[in-house]
């Protein structure tokens, strides 16, 4: 019996060594541990109605794009409420189904105001700075933009989703170029929604699509470089592949965050009469959000219809995945890596979860 146990133990060690040498990754390769959560459904301070994105300024303050409540809420790095701005509408300082928020190196805040077909800029106190864009298909116009990114020299790139193109501007919003059309071939897009600068080799802009799982890589002038496909692991991995399950706190915390039954959140399904219809295409595989972990050189990705956070190399090789032990995220809508912090926007649970790098 002892000899059999010894053989089993040796076989297990050899299997682990073989697995490591084959390029596979262990369960804990996501390299982040749970820190804390905040939020819950509602319309009051520190409450959300389908939060969709998150950004952090140079002082570590957290900005949450609260789509269903048509506002931005600002918190300190411990999740304490500071201020908020915005309501539903088309006037300056108002939003209609915003989809993304980014902060540049000067702490200027950019909100992609999707159904108002514009980019709205604010300072860190929520004061309006500028609106740029109107509905249209000509250059310098947008149709349901969903993403924004910044190049090495401060240039602005807009994922002009329904026009299936990328437009490039200087930081002063002087038009430079555009590229793309609808399709699945090189230099074509199916509702582009994220564009990120990746300082890899020579520096590229990575573009994802809402309606497929292809990531395309471009020079900053729009010249096509390459592309690769990533998919949720439930469609792609062997049954034997393990997932990196991370304890995200007790279910009691989720219940506490969502126990404010008296708060009835604003109906996010209403649209202004001027709002255009949304895409009705069936999503077989789509990328909801992609961000860059610049410290460890990885892509962090969320897929449509999948409650897991994935990590890939810059070439699209799967590394690890992050889910909640015993209870998955519920429709995560965004993720952000800021130094040693990882934030997950848990849209279905109306929570923000923070993790710390090991």
């Amino acid at each position: 019996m002892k000899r059999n146990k010894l053989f089993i133990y040796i076989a297990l060690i050899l299997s682990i060594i073989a697995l490591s040498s084959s390029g596979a990754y262990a369960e804990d390769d996501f390299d982040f541990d749970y820190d804390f959560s905040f939020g819950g459904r509602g319309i009051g301070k520190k409450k959300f109605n389908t939060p969709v994105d998150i950004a952090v300024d140079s002082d570590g303050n957290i900005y949450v794009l609260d789509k269903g409540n048509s506002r931005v809420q600002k918190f300190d790095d411990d999740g304490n409420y500071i201020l908020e701005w915005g309501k539903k509408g088309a006037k300056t300082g108002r939003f209609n189904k915003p989809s993304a928020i980014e902060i540049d190196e000067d702490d200027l805040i950019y909100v992609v105001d999707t159904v108002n077909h514009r980019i709205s800029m604010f300072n860190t106190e929520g004061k309006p700075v500028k609106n740029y864009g109107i509905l249209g298909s000509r250059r310098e116009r947008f149709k349901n933009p969903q993403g924004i990114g910044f190049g090495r020299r401060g240039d602005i790139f807009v994922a002009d989703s329904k026009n299936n193109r990328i437009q490039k501007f200087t930081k002063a919003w002087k038009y430079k170029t555009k590229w793309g059309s609808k399709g699945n071939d090189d230099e074509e897009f199916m509702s582009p929604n994220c564009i990120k600068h990746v300082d890899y080799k020579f520096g590229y802009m990575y573009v994802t699509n809402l309606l497929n799982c292809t990531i395309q890589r471009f020079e900053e002038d729009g010249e096509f470089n390459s592309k690769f496909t990533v998919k949720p692991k439930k469609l792609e991995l062997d049954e034997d592949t393990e997932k990196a399950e991370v304890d995200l706190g007790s279910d009691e915390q989720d219940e506490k965050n969502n126990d404010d039954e008296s708060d009835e959140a604003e109906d996010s399904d209403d649209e202004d009469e001027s709002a255009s219809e949304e895409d009705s295409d069936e999503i077989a595989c789509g990328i909801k959000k992609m961000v860059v972990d610049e410290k460890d050189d990885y892509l962090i990705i969320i897929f449509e219809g999948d409650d897991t956070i994935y990590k890939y190399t810059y070439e699209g090789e799967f590394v690890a995945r992050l889910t909640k032990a015993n209870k998955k995220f519920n429709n995560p809508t965004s993720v952000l890596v800021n130094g040693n912090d990882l934030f997950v926007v848990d849209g279905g649970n109306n929570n923000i979860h923070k993790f710390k790098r090991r």
Side-chain angles (χ1 to χ4, degrees), residues 288-305:
K288 187 184 298 182
K289 191 73 176 180
M290 175 191 69
V291 298
V292 181
D293 181 355
E294 295 180 343
K295 188 166 184 177
D296 284 347
D297 293 333
Y298 290 114
L299 301 175
I300 311 297
I301 294 174
I302 301 175
F303 294 94
E304 283 289 339

Side-chain angles (χ1 to χ4, degrees), residues 213 231-236 243 283-289 301-310 312 321-323 328-334 344-346:
C213 283
K231 290 184 179 180
K233 297 297 102 181
K234 64 182 180 182
L235 302 178
E236 188 175 277
K243 61 186 175 183
I283 300 175
C285 178
I287 296 174
K288 187 184 298 182
K289 191 73 176 180
I301 294 174
I302 301 175
F303 294 94
E304 283 289 339
D306 192 282
D307 292 332
T308 303
I309 315 299
Y310 295 91
Y312 293 86
R321 53 182 173 172
L322 173 69
T323 189
K328 293 183 179 181
F329 299 118
N330 181 10
N331 187 30
T333 51
S334 188
V344 176
V345 181
D346 195 352

